[in-house]
Amino acid sequence: MTDTTDDIAEEISFQSFEDDCRLLGSLLNDVLHREVGPRFMEKVERIRILAQSACNMRAAGIEDTAELLEKQLATELSKMDLEEGLTLARACSHYLNLMGIAETQHRVRKQRSLSRLSKSCDDIFHQLVQGGVSPNDLYNAVCKQEVEIVLTAHPTQINRRTLQYKHIRIAHLLEYNDRPDLGHEDREMLIEDLVREITSIWQTDELRRHKPTPVDEARAGLNIVEQSLWKAIPHYLRRVSNALKKHTGRPLPLTCTPIRFGSWMGGDRDGNPNVTANVTRNVSLLSRWMAIDLYIREIDSLRFELSMNQCNAALSRLAHEILEKETSSEDRHDIWSPSVQRNQLKNHPSHAPNLPTQLPARADLPSCTECKSGESQYPRLDLPGREYMPLNRQGVSGSPSKLPIKGNLHNNSPTTATANTASFSSAQLVAKRKLFSENKIGRTSFQKLLEPSQPLRPGIAPYRIVLGNVKEMLMKTQRRLELLIEGLPCETDPSEYYESPNQLMEPLVLCYDSLQSSGSGVLADGRLADLIRRVATFGMVLLKLDLRQESGRHAETLDEITRYLDMGTYSEWEEEKKIEFLIRELKGKRPLVPLSIEVVPDVKEVLDTLRVAAELGSDSFGAYVISMASNASDVLAVELLQKDSRLALSGELGRPCPGGTLRVVPLFETVKDLRGAGSVIRKLLSIDWYREHIIKNHNGHQEVMVGYSDSGKDAGRFTAAWELYKAQEDVVAACKEYGIKVTLFHGRGGSIGRGGGPTYLAIQSQPPGSVMGTLRSTEQGEMVQAKFGLPQIAVRQLEIYTTAVLLATMRPPLPPREEKWRNLMEEISNVSCQNYRDTVYENPEFLNYFHEATPQAELGFLNIGSRPTRRKSSIGIGDLRAIPWVFAWTQTRFVLPAWLGVGAGLKRACEEGHTEELRAMYKEWPFFQSTIDLIEMVLGKADVSIAKHYDEVLVAESRQELGGQLRKELMVTEKYVLVVSGHEKPLENNRSLRKLIESRLPYLNPIHMLQVEILKRLRCDNENHKLRDALLITINGIAAGMKNTG
């Protein structure tokens, strides 16, 4: 329960939220009056009033009147023509998106209004110290914490990136509107800016017309870093450091970061043929390039800021060395080519010697470069031929363009003299381009104009000398990455670029120590400290890329190899024979895959991916995740293929591969595989080679991933939650038996049906001992933007991750108090699973009912992800991916995957006399409470009347009875969930969420009814692209109103 202060703050904040909604709604209304006319807006208002009245009647318990109003609303919508329906769908959808922006601003405002924010570092550190944790233990726990948030490209983000950016601009304007010192004129200008943004949104196509590529998805993830996380990380780490200093007397070490980031975007190839080895390589290099680009911007700012002369001896020595190196470099240029002026060659040591010395006859050039005297003061140089392809510096992924050398721009018949003159001038132009623009250092004459000039001696601005050298190195690193991405030769001296974050960190820390020792600590702890913390967090790659592939693909690869070697077919062997073979090869020192082998494309892709991993190493990649893992051999197979790729590449290079081997992480997803997870880990750790490998190469850490999506689709949410809990317990116990530390990687989705829910609640409900200072978790689709899209929101989310993991480590959640609680859970789970599977997999009518009652078949037209919606071509539920399965039911407000089976299990337990025990479990067992609360949250969003409307209009009469039975099941679930929680109605303990949901209904309900009408028409005219567009817009609107999708 919240206390009175929180209630007051909440009410104040809600008033401001409602003010924002009124403001944005009024401005949208004005824009629509101008765009679509007042007559149509009268219809929109009439529909809104009908929907609002129906909601009010239902809230008051007057069901008959509510039903009549809803029927009238449906009738009004059915009379609309296609253009009107499309416009109405867009209007409601945009209003819901604007409300979502206002909700985000409401959260930001609420954070600012509280003196000590709940679940903040200050709040939790205070609680722990007051609870008896020593300051020293607290300090060590925070400094040793390792949390990694992995951003994925799961296709649940509905909004186009263009619209996301426009929404962010509106959020910034709302924040600016909160300023108390805003004058009347400033406020008027702000309103005009809002009108412009809303007009721009209305005139922008909401729909993606093409599927995004994996590289597009990766760029979206990198954009989240640039627009939000880059700013949020220093702020978050300052909060951690300040709270730590307040409660322990010591700040967070400068290079310590409790949170890092990873990505699956461009690395997750499970069921996605569009993610190839080349895509993975390019995405990884692009991530590095962007990291360098962001660091260069920060270094530029620092060079202007750190203009002081006073420094310590170490920094002075380094500045001396840099200047001496530059001076000696310039001297070498003078000796090499005295005929070329020194100011031409300064800072360009390597390109000029390679230039040819003759210009092709009759080369043309722009007239502005002609030498009027007929003689050139520069040596004659040869212009590169048509084969020369300079790097396109405008975009990393752009293709290079050829340099044209024929065709005079100004004269069709030039004389020989003119041609000669042109030739001399062209030589000047090419020399300058080659010597100034295409040099390895990457500095141009134009860039020099923008930079502070280099001092002549180290006593003047030594920080600028050192940071200038850092920038030079960063630009060389960036240039090298561009060449790698373009596939051009790149034989660079390793001393001339940064390969590891430690190389970049060293001069920055030296500057920091110098400022501190020179009495300028206030400067050291500003922008410079922020940059050091960014380097500690993001390294040289921003987001380390995980690779993911299905276990069967590795077996197919080994099949090809063993058949080629006349050893039989690997996949047909018994598990023990597989392990014996894999371990024998892992202990060997020769490559397994012969150079002469020819394999099918799918197998070649697996081998190429592992070669990319060997080429770029663990500095670029995180884990290699094996989906659908079920045996120890699944892990050992990847270890062997990885070792083989590294051996082969090392032999070609004549030196060791960069970085270390990737962590190989089994992903247990189905209920069957979750039940066997502990046994698989025990089997692996019982193998001497594997255990020694984990200790030597991975610091004694075993990582295991558990999947929430497929287990939920397989057995229902309740059973999946219980099986996940038991699997984690078993994996933790297995690792403990062998003295190995474990990190659990949670593959959570955004929706409750796929393991989503509030971060804090999820972490606090894990089994005791499963979160021991380490955690990995995915953030998927629309949740990435919702949690990390704005810096203020991102800071809050990062704090919640830190404090939840800290509490779960130092004050682990309680296990079930009694063994009979576990037995009761087992009974409920069995009944729940049986009920769920009887409906979804055993009822022959269910599949057709699912296709008729939901827009599942039409979701594929959304173009929201690069991967197919099904693993295989069959139409069954089993091969449908979990995301469209949940997404489709969310659209109808039935949200069936999150609750089906729960009611049957709880009802059986209550009828057998366990009601009081269930209530005690709810109060005393965090896992059970979390499970019930999340289901209650889903029930608060579900709507029986809306789901019934879909059935009545879209479902065949022969299957109407099934829909009626499922709606009764939903009511039974709600009844028994409330019996257990002790609440009178759903979300009674989450008043804020209930209020927010209710505020959306006048716009959300009409979109549902409009979607039903459009589906009805589209299924009679499925080639009507205008109808399809209208349907997709309703899908967008409902996703915005429900605040999650799949």
Side-chain angles (χ1 to χ4, degrees), residues 860-968:
F861 297 118
L862 275 173
N863 293 324
I864 61 174
S866 66
R867 75 180 187 181
T869 58
R870 290 182 176 274
R871 295 183 188 271
K872 299 176 183 175
S873 58
S874 70
I875 62 167
I877 302 292
D879 291 319
L880 180 69
R881 285 193 177 274
I883 288 173
W885 164 247
V886 175
F887 200 156
W889 289 112
T890 305
Q891 285 287 304
T892 68
R893 294 271 286 285
F894 213 6
V895 212
L896 179 140
W899 58 261
L900 183 61
V902 177
L906 293 177
K907 180 183 178 185
R908 173 78 64 86
C910 288
E911 288 176 345
E912 291 178 355
H914 299 300
T915 303
E916 291 307 315
E917 268 182 277
L918 291 173
R919 287 175 175 166
M921 289 164 63
Y922 178 79
K923 290 176 183 175
E924 299 177 34
W925 188 11
F927 162 73
F928 186 71
Q929 184 183 74
S930 167
T931 304
I932 295 297
D933 283 348
L934 290 174
I935 293 166
E936 189 176 320
M937 191 185 297
V938 168
L939 296 173
K941 289 185 174 185
D943 191 303
V944 171
S945 60
I946 293 292
K948 181 181 179 184
H949 185 63
Y950 277 84
D951 283 5
E952 288 176 341
V953 177
L954 300 173
V955 175
E957 191 171 341
S958 61
R959 285 181 280 275
Q960 293 270 348
E961 185 180 349
L962 176 57
Q965 290 170 359
L966 290 171
R967 289 193 297 277
K968 286 179 184 174

Side-chain angles (χ1 to χ4, degrees), residues 162-195:
T162 299
L163 291 175
Q164 291 175 42
Y165 285 152
K166 294 178 189 296
H167 293 167
I168 287 170
R169 287 202 289 271
I170 290 176
H172 289 319
L173 288 169
L174 287 181
E175 185 176 16
Y176 186 63
N177 193 39
D178 279 346
R179 287 181 51 169
D181 61 338
L182 210 59
H184 177 73
E185 187 175 336
D186 289 336
R187 206 170 294 279
E188 289 294 321
M189 291 171 65
L190 182 144
I191 296 297
E192 289 176 10
D193 285 342
L194 281 170
V195 169

